[in-house]
Amino acid sequence: MEVLKKILHKIRLAVQNSSLKSKIIMAVTVVLLLLFWFSMPKRLFSNPTSFVIEDNQGNLLSATIASDGQWRFPYNNTVPEKFIDCITTFEDKRFFIHPGVDIVAISRAVIANTRHSKTTQGGSTITMQVARIASKHESRNVWNKLRETLMAVRLELSYSKKEILALYASNAPFGSNVVGLDAAAWRYFGRSADKLSWAEMATLAILPNAPSLVHPGKNREILLAKRNGLLDKLFLLGKLTKEDCALAKLEPLPGKPLPLPQYAPHLLQRYRKEYNGIGQTKLRSTVDGTLQQAVTRIIEQQQQLLKGNGINNICALVLNVETGNTLAYVGNVYQPSNKNLESDVDVINAPRSPGSTLKPVLYAAMLSDGMILPDALVPDIPTEIGGYTPQNFDLGYDGAVPASKALSRSLNIPAVRLLQQYKYQRFYEVLQQCGINTLTKPADFYGLSLILGGCEVKMWELAGLYASFARSLKHQTANRGIAQAEDFHPPKYYETQKEKKNEKSMTAIDPTSIYFTFQAMQEVMRPGEEGLWQQFSSSQKIAWKTGTSFGFRDGWAIGVTPENVVAVWVGNTTGEGRPGLIGVNTAAPVMFDIFRLLPNVSWFEKPKYNYSYIPVCRQSGYRSNIDCTDVDTLFMPFNAIKSPLCPYHKMIQLDAGGAFQVNESCASPAAMIHKGWFVLSPSMEYYYKQRNHDYKLLPPFKPGCVQVENSKQMELLYPQPDAKIYVPVEINGEKGKTIFTAAHRDHHAKIFWSLDDQFITTTETTHQVAISPSPGKHLITLTDDKGNNISRSFEIIDKEKN
């Protein structure tokens, strides 16, 4: 455009002192000049291009054919020197000195063609060929040749020689449905153009001259002769040594076109969906190409093992913590020929039930708010809340378990009880603030099942959440222990990817609470290693969590270190559940195999800011009260000072020998021993003492003492209030029975059982009764030998009527 302005300026100066005739001539000249200048379209090439995705080093990961059926890679402004030497030597040896039109070549072609009475030689320059390709002239006549000549001159005024070569290399036909040097290099030789040998590059330089007549699948003898002739010319020009030329001639011609790499087909699929039509269809991703291929091999090997059980699909995602960059993106096993596998589904970006993988978020949030301490005991007893009856995976109960152990063992009942305390509506908001955008229903729709996988999340968002936690913890020193909004952001798979801003405000989960969460998560028993991993100095510390969805449909494993997050999902894209589809058995081995590919890094630093030291009851894990006997002052999250006091220690009075409880009715205050005692509720105690043999039961009251006890002495463990019970028929055809279970604080107490005011039996020590009530509503009543009693309603369901 600057050239045109200068020319018009000179014409305007000349017109001012010219005659009318001269002015008319100059006006016509200006019109012709303008027509010439604007004869070239603003966009030379508008053909659709292939979607191409590269790794972080520019190596090809995957590509798709263009919408018009051509393998046409997007414009590449970098042209290999070998191709420049080959194409200019073969097509246009005066390319760098002519103005777009080579008069010498045209004159020589006219003479040769006249002599033979047919076209035997062409005079088109590379610039003219660019003009012809851009104009899409199918017939070669004088008029089209004249237009190409004018356009070639015009091109030379706007583009440099290197730019014209780049236009040619990106748009020249290379036979069959291959367009452009980049696509041709991959289709014919299986590697990028900058890695081709002299023989390979010479072969490609010949193809655009007559792509329909000569290509690797047709007239191979002619192609070989032309290639070797070009190699000889390159030798004469000093581009090749004699030995290199001879060796190049020995290289074979390519065979049939090769399939392009498909190392990241699901990431390419995702980019195509998210492409907004602006810019090139080629993307340099953040993916590490070597890691991507290694992870793919691990996925394929594991799928071969699992498919015998009808488990067909696996995906894995590896993120860099600091940047959020995607290092490996294997969205599924990729076997497009097997339609039953549905391997085209990108599971990384598909909503799936997360199983227990959200439990660490609840744990961290409650620590951050000061609602619990890391090892505070949580009840693990039969529980029914509004008709919802959670069960632990092993169907057992611990009675009471430290919150950290409940997390590392992924116990469901403690998790539900913690969520009940935290409120599921509040947790729902925390998840949204942390970047989980798949919660499309109101909080009441999910309820307490939210913590056990009763919702759907995408691996992309879940892994991003874990990475945000790790990033916040890594930056805790610089941020003086305060959570920063910029640390919580979604992952990305290319550097310039714009982060979607979270409309919700960032949750204030402090880094110290995240530190305790990761500490608990690294205590999980690793599959196949029998808990011995810590004995090896080479073993990497990993905070990890598994998850298994209801019906064994989804198996999860997600792990985090200060450098990386690795997430793995195993299952069927059809939603079919399979026995044995458990996260720790199916997904966790894959996750650890992937971590072995990554550098072993040191663990997170212990927080230096925003913490507190508080007295903690050694037995309960709560903030100690005045009755706690064993107290440790421990490093804790900052808000731990707001956590509740220990509810399980109370002061009791013992006789002088310490064997019996006493009170004023049977002993003088001077003779009493006052002692703090760790006391659980009867239901918690019933299960807790089975796993904790050092648990000391309350001593019985001394004979003759009038017992005054305000705490619960007896609890009915089963059934829960207003339970609906179906009793199946036994294998022998007889009607089955229901086992009713109770717990009493006094190990020797007697309990008298009644059903609908009719006495049934008496139990002592072990309080279990097998009865077979008739269908309908009933009332069970228990009375102990001290007069304490409890009653509970339940209903026996008649399956035949229902």
Side-chain angles (χ1 to χ4, degrees), residues 620-645:
S620 71
Y622 275 77
R623 191 158 59 93
S624 65
N625 64 26
I626 59 174
D627 298 327
C628 292
T629 54
D630 300 309
V631 178
D632 301 307
T633 301
L634 300 178
F635 175 85
M636 289 286 153
F638 181 77
N639 284 329
I641 193 64
K642 299 189 297 185
S643 64
L645 295 173

Side-chain angles (χ1 to χ4, degrees), residues 352-539:
R352 304 291 305 191
S353 169
S356 297
T357 56
L358 297 178
K359 289 177 181 176
V361 184
L362 175 62
Y363 181 77
M366 295 188 73
L367 287 177
S368 185
D369 287 353
M371 298 182 71
I372 59 169
L373 296 186
D375 294 324
L377 288 180
V378 183
D380 183 21
I381 57 177
T383 300
E384 182 174 351
I385 305 170
Y388 177 54
T389 307
Q391 295 286 340
N392 292 326
F393 186 79
D394 62 0
L395 302 180
Y397 307 96
D398 277 32
V401 62
S404 61
K405 297 299 182 185
L407 175 61
S408 64
R409 291 172 54 196
S410 197
L411 297 176
N412 292 337
I413 293 174
V416 170
R417 284 182 165 267
L418 287 174
L419 183 57
Q420 183 186 27
Q421 178 185 350
Y422 190 75
K423 306 303 179 186
Y424 65 80
Q425 297 90 341
R426 188 177 178 188
F427 185 58
Y428 174 90
E429 292 181 357
V430 168
L431 292 176
Q432 289 183 322
Q433 291 164 358
C434 286
I436 303 299
N437 298 311
T438 49
L439 303 177
T440 56
K441 305 289 186 181
D444 291 339
F445 176 83
Y446 304 105
L448 294 173
S449 70
L450 195 62
I451 197 63
L452 302 183
C455 61
E456 290 186 329
V457 303
K458 294 179 179 180
M459 177 185 283
W460 182 253
E461 295 177 352
L462 185 63
L465 187 158
Y466 275 67
S468 295
F469 271 23
R471 194 179 305 117
S472 179
L473 182 53
K474 283 186 69 174
H475 297 168
Q476 55 91 15
T477 299
N479 297 330
R480 303 186 70 82
I482 306 300
Q484 301 295 317
E486 56 266 25
D487 288 334
F488 286 74
H489 61 75
K492 56 184 178 180
Y493 58 89
Y494 59 96
E495 289 291 352
T496 58
Q497 187 173 2
K498 293 183 179 179
E499 299 170 1
K500 293 182 179 179
K501 291 186 177 181
N502 193 348
E503 296 179 357
K504 304 282 186 179
S505 59
M506 192 277 299
T507 181
I509 297 179
D510 69 85
T512 308
S513 297
I514 294 172
Y515 175 79
F516 278 98
T517 303
F518 285 170
Q519 289 291 98
M521 290 168 63
Q522 68 166 322
E523 297 299 325
V524 181
M525 179 74 75
R526 300 189 181 188
E529 297 185 15
E530 301 178 356
L532 301 178
W533 68 273
Q534 295 178 355
Q535 298 182 18
F536 300 94
S537 59
S538 61
S539 296

